[in-house]
């Protein structure tokens, strides 16, 4: 939570922190929540879809749920120490890499070199964004780890272009496709956010924002 008086942008303030808060992706969030609840979490996931559809957010929620001290039905409590650390980005249990700007083999080798190391939580979650941007040597280094992952590690690979991900990597993941949200869903979200934030936005403006979004 931001310090009192500190400005926090709307997208950060209202970023979903639980599966139930993710809009328009029930086919994915229900499956992930049930997997956590039933102890059937895979060792690697591929989240694909357009920008802004919730791929990285869902990956972080999955990491929360896996390491939460008091999960309920596969949902994170969002109040325990582990959940709080993941929310603010200080958790040692979650490592994120933006492959768009760190696409070389050295970055991946550095990441996978820490895979076997223990962390405070039950699970270590690696989130690799724009995984299709990895170079071929980097993809091969990642593949080697995906073939024999430690039991306590989960990889979540996110991409806007799954066809550019190596087929050998895709074959070792559970693939979930995120969809664009409908104008109605976006409009409902904008109304909810504007109401909680105390903004006065008329319906015409909301509908225009939703259509353009």
């Amino acid at each position: 939570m931001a310090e009192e008086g500190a400005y926090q942008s709307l997208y950060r303030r209202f970023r979903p922190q639980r599966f139930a808060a993710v809009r328009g992706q029930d086919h994915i969030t229900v499956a992930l929540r049930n997997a956590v609840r039933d102890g059937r979490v895979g060792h690697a996931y591929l989240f694909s879809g357009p920008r802004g559809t919730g791929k990285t957010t869902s990956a972080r929620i999955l990491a929360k749920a896996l390491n939460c001290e008091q999960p309920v039905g596969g949902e994170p409590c969002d109040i325990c120490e582990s959940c709080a650390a993941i929310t603010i980005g200080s958790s040692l249990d979650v490592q994120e890499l933006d492959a768009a700007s760190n696409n070389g083999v050295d970055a991946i080798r550095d990441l996978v070199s820490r895979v076997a190391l223990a962390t405070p939580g039950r699970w270590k979650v690696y989130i690799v964004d724009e995984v299709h941007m990895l170079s071929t040597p980097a993809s091969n280094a990642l593949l080697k780890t995906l073939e024999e992952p430690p039991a306590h590690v989960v990889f979540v690979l996110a991409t806007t272009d799954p066809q550019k991900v190596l087929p050998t990597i895709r074959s070792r993941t559970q693939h979930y496709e995120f969809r664009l949200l409908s104008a109605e869903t976006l409009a409902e979200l904008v109304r909810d956010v504007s109401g909680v934030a105390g903004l006065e936005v008329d319906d015409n403006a909301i509908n225009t924002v939703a259509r353009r979004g």
Side-chain angles (χ1 to χ4, degrees):
M1 181 176 297
E3 296 182 1
E4 186 176 354
Y7 174 76
Q8 189 176 36
S9 60
L10 290 178
Y11 88 90
R12 293 186 62 189
R13 180 179 171 188
F14 292 98
R15 183 192 295 273
Q17 301 299 332
R18 302 173 75 250
F19 288 125
V22 178
R23 308 281 181 118
Q25 310 294 349
D26 289 352
H27 62 296
I28 295 172
T29 55
V30 170
L32 292 174
R33 185 174 64 225
N34 290 344
V36 174
R37 181 195 64 195
D38 300 337
R40 296 184 291 102
V41 177
H43 75 275
Y45 294 90
L46 179 64
F47 290 175
S48 69
R51 295 183 185 278
T53 50
K55 299 184 297 297
T56 304
T57 292
S58 296
R60 291 171 181 166
I61 296 173
L62 176 61
K64 274 188 177 184
L66 289 171
N67 288 300
C68 181
E69 297 167 13
Q70 297 177 320
V72 178
E75 285 276 20
C77 70
D78 203 32
I79 58 175
C80 68
E81 185 176 346
S82 175
C83 285
I86 293 173
T87 296
I88 64 176
S90 65
S91 174
L92 297 176
D93 299 319
V94 182
Q95 300 292 321
E96 296 190 33
L97 177 72
D98 179 11
S101 54
N102 297 280
N103 60 1
V105 67
D106 289 340
I108 288 296
R109 283 176 176 167
D110 180 60
L111 183 146
V112 300
S113 69
R114 300 191 298 270
V115 164
L117 300 179
T119 51
R122 295 185 300 274
W123 295 85
K124 182 183 291 187
V125 181
Y126 287 90
I127 302 171
V128 183
D129 200 15
E130 299 296 353
V131 67
H132 67 277
M133 300 285 286
L134 290 178
S135 66
T136 298
S139 293
N140 289 330
L142 175 61
L143 175 62
K144 185 175 181 180
T145 300
L146 292 179
E147 289 174 336
E148 298 179 357
H152 67 291
V153 170
V154 172
F155 280 90
V156 182
L157 314 177
T159 179
T160 54
D161 196 345
Q163 299 307 312
K164 291 184 179 179
V165 179
L166 284 182
T168 46
I169 288 180
R170 294 204 308 268
S171 69
R172 286 165 174 78
T173 65
Q174 294 184 33
H175 188 183
Y176 288 102
E177 297 184 60
F178 286 70
R179 306 165 180 163
L180 284 173
L181 302 186
S182 67
E184 292 77 11
T185 301
L186 288 173
E188 180 184 6
L189 174 59
V190 174
R191 288 190 185 94
D192 291 346
V193 169
S194 61
V196 175
L199 305 175
E200 295 183 4
V201 185
D202 63 40
D203 277 346
N204 288 334
I206 288 175
N207 290 331
T208 298
V209 167
R211 286 195 302 272
R212 293 186 177 182

